[in-house]
C-alpha cells in the first residue's frame, strides 16, 4: 500500500493520502475522512483546505492527558527532596482557584501532587506541562499563554476539573479519569477507561486526597504550642470556662483567650497550649479589617 504523507501546518501531519484504509488517531482534533476524485481516501484535520472534496465521515478525538508520572517517593506523602520545599508554596493560588471554580482545595492539591510533585517546571514525555500537567490542547482550551506560570496553570487545571465534575454529575473518580485520559474515553467506556495508567492515576489521586488533603490545605503541626509564641498579643480576655460537665472533668478547665497578630498579618484567638493536627484543630481564626 502506497502512502503519501503531506506535512502541513503546525501539527506536523495534516493529511494522509492512501489507497486503502488506515487506523488514525489524533488527540484533541477532529479528523475528516474525504473522498478524492480518483476514489482515494483523504484523512485530514485541515478541512478548509479541501472544501472541494466530499466529507464521508468526521471523528473527534478528545485530548488525552495520559502520561507516565512519578511516584514522588515511597509513601503517599513524600515528594522528591528537591521539590519538597514547594509543597505549600502554591496554597494561596489553590485557595483562589477553589473559590473561583467551586472545586475542593484538597482535590486540586492531590492532583498537583500526583501530576508534578510540586515541580513548576515539570514536563511529561507527551508534552504535559507545569504543576497541573496541562496538555498543550488543554492549555489552549482554557486560554493559558504560559503553562509554566503557576497562576495560569493552577487556575486552568481547577477550571478543567470543575468542567469535568459537572459533566460527570459530581463523580470525582470519573472526573479524575477524564483529567488523565480525556473525557471522550470516559464516555466511550462508560466509566474509568481500562488503561492501567488511568486506573492507577485515579487510585493515587483519590488516596492522596483522602489521606493527606481531605481537610483542605491545613498543614498544622502535631506538637502543642503556646499561643503567645505564634505572634504579638494585641488583646487578652479574662480566664473563661470551657463549660465542660462530663463526669471525667467536673472541674471546668480554664483558658485565657488572646488576640494575636501573626507575622503574616493575620490574626488568631487560639488559646495558650492549644493543639492542632492534620485532622483537627482547637484554634479559631478571626479576621479583622479597618
Amino acid at each position: 500500500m502506497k502512502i503519501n504523507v503531506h506535512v502541513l501546518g503546525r501539527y506536523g501531519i495534516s493529511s494522509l493520502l492512501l489507497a486503502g484504509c488506515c487506523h488514525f488517531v489524533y488527540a484533541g482534533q477532529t479528523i475528516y475522512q474525504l473522498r478524492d476524485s480518483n476514489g482515494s481516501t483523504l484523512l485530514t484535520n485541515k478541512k478548509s483546505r479541501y472544501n472541494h472534496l466530499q466529507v464521508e465521515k468526521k471523528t473527534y478525538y478528545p485530548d488525552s492527558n495520559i502520561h507516565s508520572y512519578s511516584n514522588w517517593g515511597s509513601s503517599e506523602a513524600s515528594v522528591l527532596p528537591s521539590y519538597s520545599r514547594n509543597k505549600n508554596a502554591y496554597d494561596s493560588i489553590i485557595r483562589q482557584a477553589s473559590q473561583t471554580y467551586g472545586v475542593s482545595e484538597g482535590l486540586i492539591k492531590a492532583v498537583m501532587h500526583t501530576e508534578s510533585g510540586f515541580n513548576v517546571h515539570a514536563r511529561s514525555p507527551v508534552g504535559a506541562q507545569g504543576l497541573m500537567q496541562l496538555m498543550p490542547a488543554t492549555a489552549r482550551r482554557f486560554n493559558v499563554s504560559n503553562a509554566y506560570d503557576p497562576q495560569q496553570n493552577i487556575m486552568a487545571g481547577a477550571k478543567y476539573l470543575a468542567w469535568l465534575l459537572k459533566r460527570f454529575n459530581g463523580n470525582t473518580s470519573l472526573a479524575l479519569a477524564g483529567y488523565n485520559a480525556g473525557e471522550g474515553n470516559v464516555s466511550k467506556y462508560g466509566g474509568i477507561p481500562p488503561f492501567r495508567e488511568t486506573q492507577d492515576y485515579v487510585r493515587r489521586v483519590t488516596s492522596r486526597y483522602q489521606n493527606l488533603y481531605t481537610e483542605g490545605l491545613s498543614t498544622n503541626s502535631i506538637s502543642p504550642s503556646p499561643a503567645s509564641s505564634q505572634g504579638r498579643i494585641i488583646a487578652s480576655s479574662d480566664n473563661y470556662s470551657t463549660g465542660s460537665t462530663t463526669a471525667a472533668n467536673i472541674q471546668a478547665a480554664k483558658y485565657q483567650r488572646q488576640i494575636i497578630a501573626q507575622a503574616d498579618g493575620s490574626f488568631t484567638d487560639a488559646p495558650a497550649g492549644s493543639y492542632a493536627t492534620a485532622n483537627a484543630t482547637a484554634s479559631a481564626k478571626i479576621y479583622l479589617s479597618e
Side-chain angles (χ1 to χ4, degrees):
M1 177 172 64
K2 182 179 181 181
I3 300 177
N4 296 316
V5 179
H6 305 276
V7 180
L8 300 172
R10 63 178 179 176
Y11 294 108
I13 299 177
S14 177
S15 62
L16 294 176
L17 185 62
L18 57 150
C21 73
C22 175
H23 179 68
F24 187 89
V25 176
Y26 196 86
Q29 298 294 317
T30 297
I31 301 301
Y32 298 91
Q33 180 176 315
L34 310 175
R35 177 68 62 181
D36 204 346
S37 58
N38 63 5
S40 297
T41 296
L42 175 70
L43 301 181
T44 182
N45 63 334
K46 301 288 187 179
K47 178 180 177 294
S48 60
R49 297 183 179 181
Y50 304 95
N51 285 330
H52 60 289
L53 300 181
Q54 178 183 355
V55 177
E56 294 187 328
K57 181 181 179 182
K58 62 179 181 180
T59 305
Y60 177 70
Y61 295 93
D63 179 41
S64 172
N65 194 34
I66 294 179
H67 58 280
S68 297
Y69 62 92
S70 298
N71 190 351
W72 301 110
S74 58
S75 71
E76 288 296 284
S78 62
V79 297
L80 295 179
S82 55
Y83 301 114
S84 61
R85 67 183 182 280
N86 297 340
K87 289 176 65 175
N88 305 317
Y90 310 105
D91 282 2
S92 62
I93 305 177
I94 292 174
R95 186 171 291 110
Q96 179 188 357
S98 172
Q99 294 170 352
T100 300
Y101 298 114
V103 180
S104 163
E105 296 175 355
L107 183 61
I108 297 172
K109 191 161 185 176
V111 169
M112 183 189 298
H113 188 152
T114 303
E115 289 284 357
S116 67
F118 308 108
N119 175 9
V120 70
H121 301 296
R123 181 183 176 89
S124 81
V126 297
Q129 302 171 335
L131 291 165
M132 301 292 283
Q133 287 291 274
L134 303 178
M135 291 292 285
T138 304
R140 291 192 297 270
R141 176 178 174 182
F142 293 103
N143 301 313
V144 174
S145 59
N146 178 8
Y148 294 106
D149 173 63
Q151 178 80 21
Q152 292 188 55
N153 189 286
I154 296 170
M155 294 299 284
K159 189 173 183 179
Y160 186 28
L161 282 171
W163 186 91
L164 288 165
L165 285 166
K166 182 177 180 180
R167 170 161 179 170
F168 296 117
N169 301 313
N171 188 310
T172 302
S173 293
L174 295 185
L176 292 174
Y179 195 94
N180 178 260
E183 59 268 17
N185 276 319
V186 176
S187 297
K188 175 181 178 181
Y189 291 101
I192 300 175
F195 311 144
R196 181 176 180 180
E197 172 73 22
T198 301
Q199 293 178 350
D200 188 36
Y201 175 87
V202 172
R203 285 192 295 268
R204 173 70 55 168
V205 177
T206 301
S207 178
R208 282 181 168 138
Y209 176 44
Q210 294 175 345
N211 292 300
L212 301 177
Y213 307 120
T214 188
E215 297 297 327
L217 304 180
S218 174
T219 55
N220 295 318
S221 64
I222 296 177
S223 59
S225 139
S228 58
S229 69
Q230 298 179 24
R232 180 172 55 90
I233 299 174
I234 61 175
S236 180
S237 70
D238 293 332
N239 284 353
Y240 75 99
S241 169
T242 62
S244 174
T245 58
T246 63
N249 186 18
I250 300 299
Q251 179 62 42
K254 301 284 186 177
Y255 296 99
Q256 185 180 54
R257 302 295 293 190
Q258 301 165 332
I259 296 179
I260 301 163
Q262 301 186 111
D264 62 1
S266 63
F267 298 85
T268 181
D269 66 338
S274 65
Y275 290 80
T277 71
N279 298 313
T281 178
S283 301
K285 300 298 182 182
I286 61 174
Y287 300 91
L288 305 178
S289 61
E290 297 183 8

